[in-house]
């Protein structure tokens, strides 16, 4: 009995066709790297203080009209208040000198009724300076980031099901177009509300095209090349985009110029429609055999090999799928076996996303220069993605993910034991945790794609990604819990890591096994591991959707 990989084995694994698909899909992922973290610069708050109109104040009063406050043990000029100008103007006109004739602590203060003056030492402008998202409106800045991640969450949920329904390729290019055009349209925002609405729509396509590209490559490529793409290839492309962001932002200090530079190059991706094929696996699952064979025969010409007369005859005999048989997210919860797998993967995805974005936001403060901070946070991911590829290449998925989750959790808890006099050691442990969680992050999409059949693969990736994106939404708020307890963020992320590591042991293994094409094939893999008792795997009896019982 042949599966898909055996049916197309005559193509080889690394011919001209596979190389084109590999590198073009990797190129399509690069914009996700800088798009996912653009808000780091768009929403950064530059130094600011109240505007003081020219009221013919004396030099002494002009220098003291902004009160001094103590923040974190340091004195600094107030960002959100000033002394009442009518009082100051009257005192200045009468020749009083502040500090000598007038006790400044007795003067009444007021808000920045005339607006704010922003420092341009780092940025020419951000959306914070554009729409005055400071002081009483500072909540809008955090809310803006939350809206973006909510858009990502909805995009991940619906794009997976749309991809399983209409194909990988249409959803990939549709979400790329959403990301490109909405990034461009944000430049013309005339209000914070307009910017936020466009940002939400932009979020719908931001990570959705990444998931579609990952699944498309996973289904087209085979063998070690598939592992290379789904781990190191795709994720290194993401890291390249991530590292490009601070470089571009450094030279373009204006938020509109930055968005323009991030959107216009995406036009170069439109011709890829005629070069990137649809997934033959998906076409076969829809009963579109002729289209699947046409793609494979074209691949054979590119690779200069001879294709068999009937490529998928044996494959179809043993992997019959009713083209009218449609599936959706409900099928991920229909049987106890698939339900357990889905719930555990959702827990792990949530843990990984919370840890990844939580540590990313926290490590952004490693350096006083925000561009350097962002670059360091991105650069540490390169060795992590290489390690993730090696783990997927040579080690079982379940044990690898369990180990990296334990490494992340242990590193975070060890930070609690480090005295405050050794900040470098704390930083090293936090970077080790970032390294570990990034490895897990890079492995999760590949692991999920390998566990589910073709009809449910993109839906499963989308659902697990959706739950994971909830971690994105809470990560910025999680970091701020250190105001209640210094290491509370580390405790929360570490605890989640330990729980997820234990839950991972109850997932089926996919290492060295072909991708399942049908739900029946997925059921044959479903086993619950009991490592603490016997070290053996126990089969679970289950009832399939058609009523058939499998032991």
């Amino acid at each position: 009995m042949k599966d898909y990989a055996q049916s197309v084995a005559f193509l080889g694994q690394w011919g001209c066709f596979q190389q084109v698909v590999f590198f073009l899909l990797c190129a399509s992922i690069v914009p996700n790297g800088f798009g996912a973290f653009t808000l780091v610069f768009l929403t950064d708050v530059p130094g600011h203080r109240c505007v003081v109109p020219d009221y013919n104040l004396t030099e002494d009063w002009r220098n003291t009209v902004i009160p001094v406050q103590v923040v974190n043990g340091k004195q600094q000029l107030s960002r959100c208040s000033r002394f009442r100008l009518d009082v100051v103007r009257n005192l200045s006109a009468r020749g009083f000198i502040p500090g000598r004739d007038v006790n400044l602590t007795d003067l009444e203060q007021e808000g920045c009724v005339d607006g704010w003056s922003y420092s341009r030492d780092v940025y020419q402008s951000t959306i914070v300076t554009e729409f005055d998202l400071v002081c009483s409106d500072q909540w809008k800045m955090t809310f803006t980031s939350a809206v973006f991640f909510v858009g990502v969450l909805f995009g991940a949920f619906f794009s997976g099901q749309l991809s399983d329904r209409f194909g990988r390729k249409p959803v990939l290019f549709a979400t790329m177009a959403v990301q490109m055009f909405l990034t461009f349209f944000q430049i013309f925002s005339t209000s914070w509300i307009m910017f936020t609405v466009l940002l939400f729509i932009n979020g719908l396509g931001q990570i959705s095209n990444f998931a579609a590209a990952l699944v498309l490559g996973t289904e087209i490529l085979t063998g070690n090349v598939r592992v290379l793409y789904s781990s190191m290839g795709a994720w290194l492309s993401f890291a390249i985009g991530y590292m490009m962001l601070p470089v571009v932002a450094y030279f373009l200090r204006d938020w509109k110029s930055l968005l323009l530079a991030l959107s216009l190059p995406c036009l170069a991706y439109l011709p890829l429609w005629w070069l990137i094929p649809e997934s033959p696996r998906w076409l076969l699952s829809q009963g579109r055999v002729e289209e699947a064979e046409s793609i494979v025969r074209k691949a054979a010409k590119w690779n200069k090999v001879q294709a068999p007369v009937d490529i998928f005859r044996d494959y179809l005999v043993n992997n019959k799928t009713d083209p009218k048989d449609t599936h959706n997210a409900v099928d991920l919860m229909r049987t106890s076996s698939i339900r357990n797998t889905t719930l555990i993967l959702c827990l792990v995805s949530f843990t990984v996303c919370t840890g990844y974005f939580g540590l990313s936001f926290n490590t952004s403060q490693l350096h006083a220069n925000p561009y350097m901070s962002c670059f360091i946070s991105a650069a540490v991911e390169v060795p992590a993605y290489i390690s993730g590829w090696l783990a997927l290449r040579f080690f079982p998925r379940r044990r690898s993910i369990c180990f990296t989750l334990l490494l992340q959790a242990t590193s975070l808890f060890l930070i609690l034991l480090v005295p405050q006099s050794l900040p470098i050691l704390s930083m090293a442990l936090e970077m080790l945790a970032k390294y570990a969680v990034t490895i897990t992050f890079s492995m999760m999409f590949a692991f999920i794609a390998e566990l589910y059949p073709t009809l449910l693969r993109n839906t499963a990736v989308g659902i697990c990604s959706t739950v994971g994106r909830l971690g994105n939404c809470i990560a910025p708020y999680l970091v701020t819990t250190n105001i209640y307890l210094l290491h509370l963020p580390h405790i929360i992320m570490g605890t989640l890591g330990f729980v997820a590591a234990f839950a991972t042991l109850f997932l089926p293994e996919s290492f060295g096994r072909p991708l399942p094409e049908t739900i029946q094939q997925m059921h044959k893999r479903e086993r619950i591991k009991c490592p603490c008792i016997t070290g053996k795997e126990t089969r679970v009896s289950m009832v399939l959707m058609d009523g058939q019982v499998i032991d």
Side-chain angles (χ1 to χ4, degrees):
M1 181 177 69
K2 288 186 178 181
D3 59 16
Y4 175 83
Q6 292 173 322
S7 298
V8 299
F10 66 91
L11 291 175
Q13 292 188 12
W14 192 238
C16 178
F17 173 76
Q18 288 92 342
Q19 293 172 19
V20 169
V21 170
F22 185 99
F23 289 111
L24 290 184
L25 286 177
C26 285
S28 73
I29 290 173
V30 171
N32 287 280
F34 52 68
F37 295 98
T38 307
L39 289 176
V40 169
F41 299 104
L42 295 184
T43 62
D44 202 4
V45 183
H48 57 277
R49 65 179 193 175
C50 297
V51 169
V52 180
D54 186 8
Y55 279 172
N56 295 322
L57 300 178
T58 64
E59 187 68 21
D60 289 335
W61 280 106
R62 181 166 292 278
N63 292 334
T64 57
V65 70
I66 304 297
V68 176
Q69 296 179 338
V70 178
V71 180
N72 295 326
K74 297 180 181 180
Q75 289 188 340
Q76 66 179 32
L77 294 176
S78 174
R79 293 186 168 192
C80 299
S81 63
R82 68 187 185 188
F83 293 120
R84 285 188 56 180
L85 284 189
D86 56 344
V87 175
V88 170
R89 185 181 181 185
N90 182 43
L91 293 173
S92 176
R94 295 168 63 183
F96 290 170
I97 298 177
R100 189 192 71 179
D101 302 324
V102 178
N103 187 354
L104 295 179
T105 58
D106 295 334
L107 294 181
E108 185 179 353
Q109 298 182 15
E110 62 183 359
C112 300
V113 294
D114 295 306
W116 291 263
S117 174
Y118 296 96
S119 169
R120 295 195 175 186
D121 293 340
V122 179
Y123 307 104
Q124 289 298 311
S125 68
T126 67
I127 65 168
V128 174
T129 65
E130 183 77 15
F131 305 119
D132 290 330
L133 307 183
V134 292
C135 299
S136 61
D137 285 336
Q138 188 172 356
W139 65 271
K140 294 181 179 179
M141 180 185 64
T142 308
F143 183 76
T144 300
S145 301
V147 166
F148 172 74
F149 284 119
V150 170
V152 172
L153 186 151
F154 278 97
F157 179 79
F158 290 108
S159 65
Q161 298 180 68
L162 291 173
S163 183
D164 282 335
R165 179 74 179 273
F166 300 105
R168 293 19 175 162
K169 182 178 175 179
V171 172
L172 168 63
F173 282 90
T175 51
M176 285 178 62
V178 169
Q179 180 181 348
M180 176 181 64
F181 288 113
L182 267 297
T183 301
F184 178 75
F185 290 151
Q186 284 177 261
I187 298 172
F188 304 99
S189 300
T190 57
S191 66
W192 171 75
I193 294 178
M194 179 179 177
F195 180 89
T196 305
V197 171
L198 293 176
L199 184 66
F200 171 80
I201 303 174
N202 188 1
L204 295 175
Q206 183 57 239
I207 300 298
S208 302
N209 59 312
F210 174 85
L214 186 62
V215 171
L216 181 57
T218 299
E219 293 184 343
I220 293 178
L221 303 172
T222 59
N224 295 332
V225 177
R226 173 171 60 84
V227 176
L228 177 67
Y229 169 77
S230 61
S231 55
M232 191 167 67
W235 290 102
L236 276 181
S237 301
F238 183 89
I240 290 172
Y242 190 0
M243 289 187 290
M244 287 173 56
L245 172 63
V247 176
V248 175
Y250 178 81
F251 292 101
L252 300 175
R253 306 295 183 98
D254 175 72
W255 70 277
K256 292 185 177 181
S257 299
L258 178 60
L259 289 180
L260 187 64
L262 298 182
S263 60
L264 289 184
C266 293
L267 290 171
Y269 292 104
L270 297 181
L272 299 187
W273 174 269
W274 290 275
L275 295 175
I276 297 177
E278 179 58 272
S279 165
R281 289 181 187 267
W282 179 81
L283 291 171
L284 289 171
S285 72
Q286 303 298 306
R288 295 158 62 174
V289 182
E290 293 182 0
E291 295 178 57
E293 285 204 353
S294 175
I295 292 174
V296 175
R297 293 190 186 282
K298 180 180 179 180
K301 291 182 180 179
W302 285 23
N303 290 357
K304 298 181 180 180
V305 297
Q306 183 64 41
V309 177
D310 295 314
I311 300 176
F312 295 117
R313 181 179 59 184
D314 294 337
Y315 172 87
L316 290 174
V317 168
N318 297 292
N319 298 279
K320 293 181 179 179
T321 304
D322 184 357
K324 297 181 180 179
D325 187 17
T326 59
H327 297 278
N328 52 45
V330 176
D331 295 314
L332 299 178
M333 307 294 289
R334 195 176 299 276
T335 67
S336 61
S337 179
I338 295 182
R339 180 167 59 250
N340 292 338
T341 298
T342 302
L343 292 177
I344 293 175
L345 288 173
C346 286
L347 170 64
V348 177
S349 297
F350 175 80
T351 299
V352 171
C353 287
T354 301
Y356 175 77
F357 282 92
L359 291 172
S360 295
F361 292 144
N362 204 39
T363 54
S364 65
Q365 305 301 321
L366 288 175
H367 197 279
N369 187 320
Y371 305 104
M372 184 61 69
S373 298
C374 185
F375 188 83
I376 292 174
S377 183
V380 75
E381 298 187 3
V382 174
Y385 292 140
I386 296 175
S387 300
W389 166 66
L390 292 174
L392 288 172
R393 177 71 176 83
F394 297 105
F395 301 103
R397 303 341 184 199
R398 181 173 52 191
R399 294 180 182 177
S400 299
I401 291 176
C402 179
F403 173 78
T404 53
L405 285 170
L406 289 176
L407 178 60
Q408 170 205 344
T410 303
S411 301
L412 291 174
F413 277 110
L414 286 176
I415 295 176
L416 307 181
L417 306 178
V418 178
Q420 294 186 4
S421 59
L422 298 174
I424 296 180
L425 180 57
S426 296
M427 182 186 302
L429 288 171
E430 188 162 330
M431 296 306 294
L432 179 60
K434 173 73 185 297
Y435 166 80
V437 75
T438 303
I439 295 176
T440 316
F441 197 72
S442 69
M443 296 177 66
M444 280 304 299
F445 278 99
F447 189 33
I448 296 170
E450 290 175 348
L451 289 179
Y452 289 88
T454 302
L455 287 171
L456 289 174
R457 185 168 295 122
N458 233 65
T459 298
V461 171
I463 293 297
C464 294
S465 179
T466 299
V467 176
R469 299 309 159 192
L470 292 174
N472 297 13
C473 298
I474 71 169
Y477 300 98
L478 176 62
V479 174
T480 62
T481 59
N482 59 4
I483 63 176
Y484 306 106
L485 180 64
L486 179 61
H487 293 299
L488 185 57
H490 298 133
I491 295 173
I492 295 174
M493 289 186 286
T495 302
L496 283 173
F498 276 124
V499 173
F502 177 75
T504 302
L505 297 176
F506 293 88
L507 289 170
E509 184 55 71
S510 62
F511 179 61
R513 302 180 184 182
L515 293 180
E517 306 296 341
T518 64
I519 294 178
Q520 288 80 1
Q521 291 178 1
M522 179 182 177
H523 277 297
K524 291 179 181 180
R525 286 190 186 177
E526 299 295 339
R527 293 171 177 163
I528 290 184
K529 179 88 171 177
C530 303
C532 300
I533 302 176
T534 63
K536 298 180 180 179
E537 291 185 347
T538 304
R539 288 184 179 271
V540 180
S541 297
M542 62 199 74
V543 181
L544 299 183
M545 297 177 190
D546 57 3
Q548 179 183 357
V549 178
I550 292 182
D551 295 325

